[in-house]
Amino acid sequence: MDSNDTSARFVAHHVCGLPKSGIRDFFAIASQMRDAISLGIGEPDFVTPFAIREAAMRALEKGKTSYTDNRGLKTLRDAISRYVAANYGPEYNPETEILTTIGVSEALDIALRAILNPGDKVLYHSPCYVSYSPAVALCHAQAIAVPTFAANNFALTADALSAAWEPGCKALLLNFPTNPTGGTASRELLAQIAAFAKEKDLLVISDEIYSELTFDGDHTSIASLPGMRERTLFLHGFSKAYAMTGFRVGYACGPAGVLDAMLKIHQYAIMCASIVSQEAAVEALANGRDDMLRMRDKYRERRDLIVRRFNELGLPCHLPKGAFYAFPRVSVTGLDSLEFATRLLHSQKVAMVPGTAFGAAGAGFCRASFSTSYEHIINACDRIEKFLQTVRKDTGA
Ligand code: PLP
């Protein structure tokens, strides 16, 4: 804000206190640089598969330009209900238990707004997606980070949850596979987390946006475990698996009472997701599986490449089991996350995101998105190698 702009006096205190997303900063700088390679942004580099784009074009051709039911097109909710039952387990009633939203972003926002009273507390695992803690703060509630560690593949344990729990905790926010660590949770681990949620009477908000992009083993939803369907909000969307970020479609499935509360906020704030995007989403669920698997296989190849290169370069990096992020430990260079990312960007024009953008537990790490081409990853790693040579010369490490 420039110094003549006095509008800060109009801005709510809790909004003034919110940090801007650290991801966008790096992306903005990289996008201004010629020949920069961005490993910064968490967005598929694939264009949305043609059949899905075609469905959107067909919708426009047919003059589908209206609002839809606030809950979303019935055809889409029916398709979501079938898809979730077939792939995740729980069956949700499309009339009362499914709400179509503008991405998982909206689903998360209205879920929190629907359940939180001022002062309530929400547990979430850290490092995690940049929106979680601010979204809780925007509800005048308190986000409590539960740290996870590289030594344990960033797994969230019931012991860590118990240690972080405080009176006033109402919800637990989960994200498996996890942005930024690529961590997943086994059925056994989820069972322990579920037992904890029941013991403490928590609503679980489970963001499973990367679930199709699970590379090793099967994805399990906590909503499918005994006794969890009634205390879980299952959030999912089309952005990542179907390369549909710009369409902005997601959904929430859960107990009718909570969905109804979310619907009220959605009705007043949003009304409905775009009809064109919803038509495209129907096509994605009907016929998009092969394209989705093709993209997942590409991500897996890229993951194997980038993780191998990081480890060869002396940046210890665990193998992410899902999502499209590698999370190497850069503190071995003697630089902290921000110094590493800043110097790398300015000297070699490679954008990575400092781990601290994802919470204090990300200190010492940087996130590299491998949702970019194989060639870009090779070039980026070659440049990182050069960068490391100069850093080692400077520090004598
Ligand atoms: N949840 C996680 C964990 C994400 O990484 C992202 C985007 O990066 C979102 C939600 C937002 O997704 P959408 O495009 O569906 O709003």
Side-chain angles (χ1 to χ4, degrees), residues 88 90 92 172 174 176 189-195 197 204-208 219-229 231-234:
Y88 301 90
Y92 292 102
L172 167 62
L174 300 177
F176 298 117
L189 200 67
L190 287 175
Q192 290 170 25
I193 297 171
V204 174
I205 302 177
S206 185
D207 174 350
E208 304 190 28
H219 174 82
T220 303
S221 173
I222 195 165
S224 68
L225 299 188
M228 289 308 289
R229 186 190 182 287
R231 62 168 67 250
T232 302
L233 275 177
F234 172 86

Side-chain angles (χ1 to χ4, degrees), residues 72-87:
L73 290 171
K74 178 67 168 41
T75 44
L76 178 56
R77 282 179 284 132
D78 286 344
I80 290 169
S81 177
R82 286 192 300 273
Y83 183 77
V84 173
N87 293 286

Side-chain angles (χ1 to χ4, degrees), residues 131-150:
S131 294
Y132 291 167
S133 168
V136 172
L138 284 170
C139 298
H140 301 273
Q142 193 187 330
I144 300 181
V146 184
T148 62
F149 302 98

Side-chain angles (χ1 to χ4, degrees), residues 199-273:
E199 183 199 323
K200 301 296 187 193
D201 193 23
L202 300 174
L203 179 79
V204 174
I205 302 177
S206 185
D207 174 350
E208 304 190 28
I209 191 164
Y210 293 102
S211 50
E212 288 93 345
L213 306 181
T214 298
F215 307 118
D216 304 307
D218 291 329
H219 174 82
T220 303
S221 173
I222 195 165
S224 68
L225 299 188
M228 289 308 289
R229 186 190 182 287
E230 52 269 38
R231 62 168 67 250
T232 302
L233 275 177
F234 172 86
L235 309 188
H236 200 1
F238 296 84
S239 291
K240 312 291 176 171
Y242 296 98
M244 289 175 67
T245 47
F247 283 85
R248 314 301 307 123
V249 203
Y251 52 93
C253 305
V258 181
L259 262 281
D260 215 49
M262 290 168 66
L263 176 64
K264 285 194 233 172
I265 304 171
H266 177 77
Q267 277 174 340
Y268 294 126
I270 305 289
M271 298 231 277
C272 64

Side-chain angles (χ1 to χ4, degrees), residues 39-93:
L39 305 177
I41 205 84
E43 170 157 28
D45 61 321
F46 299 106
V47 175
T48 309
F50 186 70
I52 300 175
R53 283 183 278 148
E54 208 175 28
M57 293 186 263
R58 255 198 329 267
L60 281 172
E61 262 168 22
K62 286 187 190 157
K64 293 195 177 182
T65 55
S66 62
Y67 293 130
T68 67
D69 187 301
N70 291 145
R71 287 182 186 272
L73 290 171
K74 178 67 168 41
T75 44
L76 178 56
R77 282 179 284 132
D78 286 344
I80 290 169
S81 177
R82 286 192 300 273
Y83 183 77
V84 173
N87 293 286
Y88 301 90
E91 289 189 18
Y92 292 102
N93 181 341

